[in-house]
Amino acid sequence: MDIARSEVFEAGTPIACRSCQARHGVVCGALSNAQLKELNRHSLRRKVEAGSEIIAQGSESSFYSNIMRGVVKLCKMMPDGRQQIVGLQFAPDFVGRPFVRESTLSAEAATDAEICVFPRNLLDRMIAETPELQRSLHDQALNELDAAREWMLTLGRRTAEEKVASLLHLIATHAEPQTAISAAFDLPLSRAEIADFLGLTIETVSRQMTRLRKRGVILIENSRHIVVPDMDELEKISA
Amino acid sequence: MDIARSEVFEAGTPIACRSCQARHGVVCGALSNAQLKELNRHSLRRKVEAGSEIIAQGSESSFYSNIMRGVVKLCKMMPDGRQQIVGLQFAPDFVGRPFVRESTLSAEAATDAEICVFPRNLLDRMIAETPELQRSLHDQALNELDAAREWMLTLGRRTAEEKVASLLHLIATHAEPQTAISAAFDLPLSRAEIADFLGLTIETVSRQMTRLRKRGVILIENSRHIVVPDMDELEKISA
DNA sequence: ATCTGAGTTTGATCTGGATCAAATCGCGAC
DNA sequence: GTCGCGATTTGATCCAGATCAAACTCAGAT
């Protein structure tokens, strides 16, 4: 994302964060009206298209964001190019690493997305002044930690088939009201990204998807759109 | 650990947490004297021996702890018995999951250890009342999240050799002042536990250790005691 | 001193997923 | 429409790490 390089908070037309309206992000949901007003003066609503980088691994980031729409992937890259996706974030998640300037991972829009961008210094001050905000962010951090550890189990101990089923289950759960028996959703990730999330190759991902399709566990309407007739079946396979 | 079942805070001789003395845990380091005094009335210093469970996966835990000495492993177990260690904790770490009663993982002493045990209700209240404590715990959660994501890269994308080197590097870094070029330390984990941390089998762990020994990267004084003549060498291998 | 058994190492073989290679599918540009 | 090209699927083969099997080690127990 170009915001990272250019001086964001000088250029562009700041749009009030109160435009979040129906759905507040993690940050603005925890602030008083006075704080919101101040934040609004310095925050920016931003559309980012799929594939653009929001935070670069190894860089010092001068801002945080809230995801208002879309999916963001968190990636770690090794010097030789091997890559691992270490998390997916959805609205209204907070993006950034409080208390530490340099990021050990990159954040990239997996789909077209909209984010609210906040200057780091201002938000750091608000976190220090606002226990409720700290609590919200603490809460999100703990939820991400639970999710990361669950995924460690997937990476370390599940088979390729179970990994693919786990991913489909994860996406379906975030896309659907999760009450329904069946689900239909768009994958926010390409096969290559799925492979990088599951610690597999694209070929193995493709073969496992085909296997699930042939068994009737999923329908592949096209490579990005999936229908799951029976979520219990999928959950059983993901073990 | 029997504490989980019996009513801890009635039996036993409570020992003042101020006995932490030189080294405070994450919790007591962030409290005022008045709060410490109240906490002392309800906390308990406890010795736990290697292998005993501090928190059981799927159970409701009514207490938190601080590790004062020793190493604690966090495990996730699948219904069919497959297991993954998802983190190691060292003094003065906090153990427990604030805000959620039921644990999705188990915490078990990997070595003989000493912990300070706090009643959940009391500490929850103190967290709510004490921004500095919330900040400490938030900080630890974020550090654990960084570590978990780093380990996801290890699980998903590193080879068996790189995994073993990564583990040795991790342990060495926590055991030694990390300034020295060489390191000597006791492994807090058995081969089986190392396998469960790295997503490998014990045979593969053993073979990779032997390979590293034959290459002169490590000396195995006995299966638990390791010497690393050149930490840079080890770090290079862990990639 | 010898026995015992858990933990570890070593060896032989197998296999799930990687790698290498070639279609096939879509979709935007012309 | 059809050309070009990246994304995906499918096929053939390979190999890192799993599995199966057997020693070996060593700290107690007798």
Side-chain angles (χ1 to χ4, degrees):
Chain A
M1 180 170 79
D2 45 48
I3 280 190
R5 277 135 210 153
S6 62
E7 273 311 300
V8 189
F9 300 107
E10 292 171 14
T13 309
I15 296 169
C17 182
R18 72 172 74 88
S19 70
C20 300
Q21 293 168 351
R23 191 176 202 186
H24 269 301
V26 163
V27 168
C28 34
L31 295 176
S32 69
N33 280 340
Q35 288 174 310
L36 261 183
K37 208 174 140 196
E38 182 178 5
L39 191 64
N40 284 339
R41 250 181 283 120
H42 300 280
S43 70
L44 184 67
R45 186 73 170 260
R46 194 77 169 48
K47 281 186 204 288
V48 291
E49 63 181 23
S52 60
E53 200 169 53
I54 296 170
I55 299 172
Q57 182 173 359
S59 73
E60 297 206 347
S61 167
S62 61
F63 59 90
Y64 300 119
S65 329
N66 261 169
I67 305 173
M68 302 317 298
R69 189 176 60 78
V71 181
V72 170
K73 59 176 180 161
L74 306 177
C75 308
K76 289 182 83 87
M77 171 87 83
M78 292 171 67
D80 64 7
R82 281 177 286 175
Q83 197 170 11
Q84 176 70 42
I85 296 182
V86 298
L88 290 184
Q89 301 199 283
F90 303 84
D93 288 349
F94 174 83
V95 181
R97 174 57 165 94
F99 314 143
V100 171
R101 291 197 73 80
E102 184 168 324
S103 180
T104 61
L105 47 76
S106 70
E108 185 174 314
T111 64
D112 290 344
E114 282 177 64
I115 59 178
C116 271
V117 181
F118 314 112
R120 182 173 193 109
N121 293 339
L122 175 60
L123 203 66
D124 280 344
R125 180 162 61 72
M126 285 190 174
I127 294 171
E129 286 168 355
T130 319
E132 197 188 333
L133 177 56
Q134 172 123 185
R135 160 66 195 248
S136 299
L137 294 175
H138 188 186
D139 223 20
Q140 183 184 316
L142 289 166
N143 287 333
E144 285 181 39
L145 186 55
D146 288 346
R149 285 171 170 164
E150 181 62 35
W151 209 252
M152 286 173 72
L153 181 63
T154 299
L155 290 173
R157 289 304 184 198
R158 289 201 232 259
T159 63
E161 174 177 81
E162 290 167 344
K163 284 178 174 183
V164 170
S166 297
L167 176 88
L168 294 174
H169 186 262
L170 175 74
I171 303 288
T173 302
H174 275 273
E176 291 274 316
Q178 119 168 41
T179 48
I181 290 168
S182 67
F185 53 89
D186 285 309
L187 286 174
L189 303 177
S190 68
R191 296 290 184 270
E193 290 170 315
I194 292 172
D196 281 340
F197 197 18
L198 295 172
L200 298 172
T201 58
I202 53 178
E203 293 94 331
T204 298
V205 170
S206 178
R207 279 186 245 273
Q208 294 300 336
M209 297 272 286
T210 304
R211 258 165 57 88
L212 290 176
R213 176 172 58 71
K214 286 184 177 163
R215 281 211 273 155
V217 180
I218 59 174
L219 310 188
I220 304 180
E221 307 228 308
N222 65 55
S223 72
R224 288 284 189 143
H225 193 77
I226 306 292
V227 176
V228 182
D230 181 355
M231 285 293 291
D232 288 344
E233 183 70 13
L234 190 65
E235 190 160 13
K236 215 181 304 164
I237 294 168
S238 63
Chain B
M1 179 171 81
D2 44 47
I3 280 192
R5 277 133 209 155
S6 63
E7 274 312 298
V8 189
F9 300 105
E10 293 171 13
T13 310
I15 297 168
C17 182
R18 72 172 72 89
S19 69
C20 299
Q21 292 167 352
R23 191 177 203 185
H24 270 301
V26 164
V27 168
C28 35
L31 294 176
S32 69
N33 281 339
Q35 287 174 310
L36 260 183
K37 209 173 141 194
E38 182 179 6
L39 190 64
N40 284 338
R41 250 181 283 120
H42 301 280
S43 71
L44 185 67
R45 185 73 171 258
R46 192 76 170 46
K47 281 186 206 286
V48 292
E49 64 181 21
S52 59
E53 201 170 51
I54 297 170
I55 298 172
Q57 182 174 359
S59 73
E60 296 205 349
S61 168
S62 62
F63 59 91
Y64 300 118
S65 326
N66 260 168
I67 304 172
M68 303 316 299
R69 189 176 60 76
V71 181
V72 171
K73 59 176 180 161
L74 306 178
C75 308
K76 289 183 83 87
M77 171 87 82
M78 292 171 66
D80 64 7
R82 280 178 286 175
Q83 199 170 10
Q84 176 70 43
I85 295 182
V86 298
L88 291 185
Q89 300 199 282
F90 303 84
D93 288 350
F94 174 83
V95 181
R97 174 55 165 95
F99 314 143
V100 172
R101 291 197 73 81
E102 183 167 325
S103 180
T104 61
L105 46 76
S106 71
E108 186 174 313
T111 64
D112 290 345
E114 282 178 65
I115 58 179
C116 271
V117 181
F118 314 112
R120 181 174 192 108
N121 294 339
L122 175 60
L123 204 64
D124 280 344
R125 179 162 61 72
M126 286 189 173
I127 294 171
E129 288 169 354
T130 318
E132 197 187 335
L133 176 56
Q134 173 123 182
R135 160 67 196 246
S136 299
L137 294 175
H138 188 185
D139 223 19
Q140 183 184 317
L142 289 166
N143 287 332
E144 285 181 40
L145 186 54
D146 288 346
R149 286 171 169 163
E150 181 62 37
W151 209 252
M152 286 173 72
L153 181 62
T154 299
L155 290 172
R157 289 302 184 200
R158 290 203 232 259
T159 64
E161 175 178 81
E162 291 167 343
K163 285 178 174 184
V164 170
S166 297
L167 177 89
L168 294 174
H169 187 262
L170 175 75
I171 303 290
T173 302
H174 275 273
E176 292 273 317
Q178 115 169 44
T179 47
I181 290 168
S182 67
F185 53 90
D186 284 309
L187 285 174
L189 302 177
S190 69
R191 295 291 183 269
E193 290 170 315
I194 292 173
D196 280 340
F197 197 17
L198 295 173
L200 298 172
T201 59
I202 53 178
E203 294 94 331
T204 297
V205 170
S206 179
R207 279 185 245 273
Q208 294 299 336
M209 298 272 286
T210 303
R211 259 166 55 90
L212 290 176
R213 176 173 56 70
K214 285 184 177 163
R215 280 211 271 156
V217 180
I218 60 174
L219 310 187
I220 305 181
E221 306 230 305
N222 67 54
S223 72
R224 289 283 190 144
H225 193 79
I226 305 294
V227 176
V228 182
D230 181 355
M231 284 293 290
D232 288 344
E233 183 71 12
L234 190 65
E235 190 160 13
K236 215 180 306 165
I237 293 168
S238 62

